[in-house]
Amino acid sequence: MRQSTGRAMTQDPSSPRAAAPDGPAPDLARLADLLRAHAPSDGSFDLRVPGVHVTRTSRVHRELAHGVLRPSLCVVAQGVKRVLLGGDLFEYDASRMLVYSVDVPIAAQVTAASAAAPFLGLRVDLDPARIAALAPKVFPHGLPKGLAGRAICVDRADAGVMNAMVQLMDLMGRPGEAELLAPLVLDEIILRLLRSPLGPRVALIGQAESRIQRVAQAVAWVQGHFDQPLDVERLATLAHMSPSSFHQHFKAITSMSPLQYQKALRLQEARRLMLMTMLDAGTAGRRVGYLSPSQFSREYGRYFGSAPTRDMARLRQQAGPAPGAGVE
């Protein structure tokens, strides 16, 4: 396992730095209080405004939680979380913010939390269409040339972004105003994010012809057809690339090959099916596209750390949250 480029916990030195807005230091205690109010117990909660999610965890995770994350901004008011994508490790806390640029299957683990000081995280989904509409206001002359996109980027928490997140959460407690004003605050969050050090990479999410968006089109196809044989040439055509160029850019962006990406989706779905619908391993494996039960069992064990039957027995005995809960 390797730390991501730029150590994933500091600014990527190759990233062009946008001017960060001035502003007072964010009130993390206030943000923590607001998140705690909307997450009264451990778990993940979808708030009244679509695309806004709060996570609370009062204990350190001994095991990884698996799931697929869509483009989004993640901030922390309290605690520490690490995210694994392919062979890359990212870590963030109240001093760092994390952005997902494309749908990716990840493994996540809270590494600092307690009953007295639970992990409190806030995730806001990023709409490529809104980014496309707002980016020209921040980059009127276009983005720097040769900018590379990544599925996950981490940098220092921007004061303007964090203060806008506090405003957003404050609105959640005022239903009459939330529906009217939350869209404006969400636009402010995107604008401030675009003006942060991560801004140029976030802007790529809204560029239809950027490599990250062309790879995202292929990702969408894999997600919708993960139980079918992988056709790299078809994916390359969707991305408007040659097969060799597509493979190279797909791995550079997602930290995994197209086949590894498909495998992660298959195994996560098989695990969900076995746990939630009580399917046996053989049926779940076939449902997600495996023709060989032995291959399914072998790859499942490598990915989750134990064979399907043993893994299910352990998860059902724990009677904890479903796999994937708390990956935000």
Side-chain angles (χ1 to χ4, degrees), residues 21 133-135 137-138 161 184-196 199:
L134 295 172
K137 299 177 184 296
V138 180
V161 172
L184 301 179
V185 179
L186 287 170
D187 279 357
E188 179 183 351
I189 289 170
I190 292 175
L191 285 167
R192 292 189 178 277
L193 184 59
L194 287 167
R195 296 189 65 223
S196 78

Side-chain angles (χ1 to χ4, degrees), residues 8-10 74-76 80 91-98 154-158 162:
M9 296 185 288
T10 58
C74 299
V75 301
V76 173
V80 183
E91 188 171 72
Y92 65 111
D93 56 16
S95 70
R96 297 179 284 268
M97 57 187 183
L98 179 147
V154 179
D155 209 311
R156 65 176 177 80
D158 178 83
M162 297 298 286

Side-chain angles (χ1 to χ4, degrees), residues 229-237 241-244 246-247 258-259:
L230 193 68
D231 186 343
V232 175
E233 289 193 2
R234 178 171 187 171
L235 296 178
T237 299
M241 299 178 187
S242 69
S244 60
F246 170 73
H247 194 280
L259 186 60

Side-chain angles (χ1 to χ4, degrees), residues 20-91:
D22 294 330
D27 188 348
L28 291 175
R30 173 63 175 160
L31 181 58
D33 287 343
L34 290 167
L35 296 181
R36 193 180 290 108
H38 291 279
S41 60
D42 284 4
S44 297
F45 301 83
D46 297 335
L47 302 191
R48 65 174 67 252
V49 174
V52 181
H53 322 267
V54 176
T55 299
R56 174 175 178 160
T57 302
S58 60
R59 60 181 176 83
V60 170
H61 289 168
R62 291 181 295 177
E63 298 183 4
L64 295 169
H66 295 266
V68 178
L69 266 292
R70 59 162 295 168
S72 53
L73 165 67
C74 299
V75 301
V76 173
Q78 191 168 265
V80 183
K81 175 172 279 191
R82 65 175 183 170
V83 174
L84 285 77
L85 175 64
D88 290 336
L89 170 64
F90 303 82
E91 188 171 72

Side-chain angles (χ1 to χ4, degrees), residues 32 61 66 91 163 167 203 215 222 249 268:
H61 289 168
H66 295 266
E91 188 171 72
N163 285 323
Q167 294 178 44
V215 167
V222 175
H249 290 303
Q268 288 190 16

Side-chain angles (χ1 to χ4, degrees), residues 137-151:
K137 299 177 184 296
V138 180
F139 302 100
H141 304 297
L143 295 177
K145 300 297 183 182
L147 192 63
R150 293 294 305 276

Side-chain angles (χ1 to χ4, degrees), residues 26-314:
D27 188 348
L28 291 175
R30 173 63 175 160
L31 181 58
D33 287 343
L34 290 167
L35 296 181
R36 193 180 290 108
H38 291 279
S41 60
D42 284 4
S44 297
F45 301 83
D46 297 335
L47 302 191
R48 65 174 67 252
V49 174
V52 181
H53 322 267
V54 176
T55 299
R56 174 175 178 160
T57 302
S58 60
R59 60 181 176 83
V60 170
H61 289 168
R62 291 181 295 177
E63 298 183 4
L64 295 169
H66 295 266
V68 178
L69 266 292
R70 59 162 295 168
S72 53
L73 165 67
C74 299
V75 301
V76 173
Q78 191 168 265
V80 183
K81 175 172 279 191
R82 65 175 183 170
V83 174
L84 285 77
L85 175 64
D88 290 336
L89 170 64
F90 303 82
E91 188 171 72
Y92 65 111
D93 56 16
S95 70
R96 297 179 284 268
M97 57 187 183
L98 179 147
V99 169
Y100 294 97
S101 300
V102 65
D103 293 17
V104 281
I106 64 160
Q109 185 177 37
V110 170
T111 58
S114 67
F119 173 88
L120 296 167
L122 174 60
R123 177 169 62 89
V124 174
D125 294 342
L126 297 175
D127 179 7
R130 292 305 300 149
I131 292 174
L134 295 172
K137 299 177 184 296
V138 180
F139 302 100
H141 304 297
L143 295 177
K145 300 297 183 182
L147 192 63
R150 293 294 305 276
I152 297 179
C153 298
V154 179
D155 209 311
R156 65 176 177 80
D158 178 83
V161 172
M162 297 298 286
N163 285 323
M165 291 292 224
V166 174
Q167 294 178 44
L168 178 65
M169 288 306 303
D170 189 56
L171 280 174
M172 295 300 108
R174 292 180 273 150
E177 297 182 11
E179 284 72 14
L180 291 174
L181 299 180
L184 301 179
V185 179
L186 287 170
D187 279 357
E188 179 183 351
I189 289 170
I190 292 175
L191 285 167
R192 292 189 178 277
L193 184 59
L194 287 167
R195 296 189 65 223
S196 78
L198 290 177
R201 297 185 187 278
V202 171
L204 291 175
I205 300 173
Q207 286 199 333
E209 293 306 312
S210 68
R211 287 179 184 143
I212 199 163
Q213 274 306 303
R214 285 188 281 164
V215 167
Q217 293 178 41
V219 162
W221 192 94
V222 175
Q223 288 180 314
H225 306 83
F226 64 83
D227 58 338
Q228 300 177 19
L230 193 68
D231 186 343
V232 175
E233 289 193 2
R234 178 171 187 171
L235 296 178
T237 299
L238 285 173
H240 305 290
M241 299 178 187
S242 69
S244 60
S245 178
F246 170 73
H247 194 280
Q248 176 187 349
H249 290 303
F250 190 100
K251 190 163 188 178
I253 289 170
T254 67
S255 298
M256 59 186 74
S257 69
L259 186 60
Q260 289 171 327
Y261 188 102
Q262 181 198 51
K263 185 184 299 183
L265 293 182
R266 284 181 167 185
L267 294 172
Q268 288 190 16
E269 176 63 9
R271 196 187 204 202
R272 187 194 70 81
L273 287 171
M274 286 187 289
L275 188 65
M276 305 303 294
T277 66
M278 305 299 287
L279 286 182
D280 61 87
T283 303
R286 289 192 299 274
R287 186 77 61 86
V288 300
Y290 280 92
L291 301 179
S292 167
S294 61
Q295 182 186 6
F296 169 67
S297 182
R298 182 170 60 252
E299 293 186 355
Y300 187 102
R302 288 174 182 167
Y303 191 78
F304 291 113
S306 60
T309 303
R310 185 179 303 171
D311 187 44
M312 284 300 104
R314 179 181 57 80

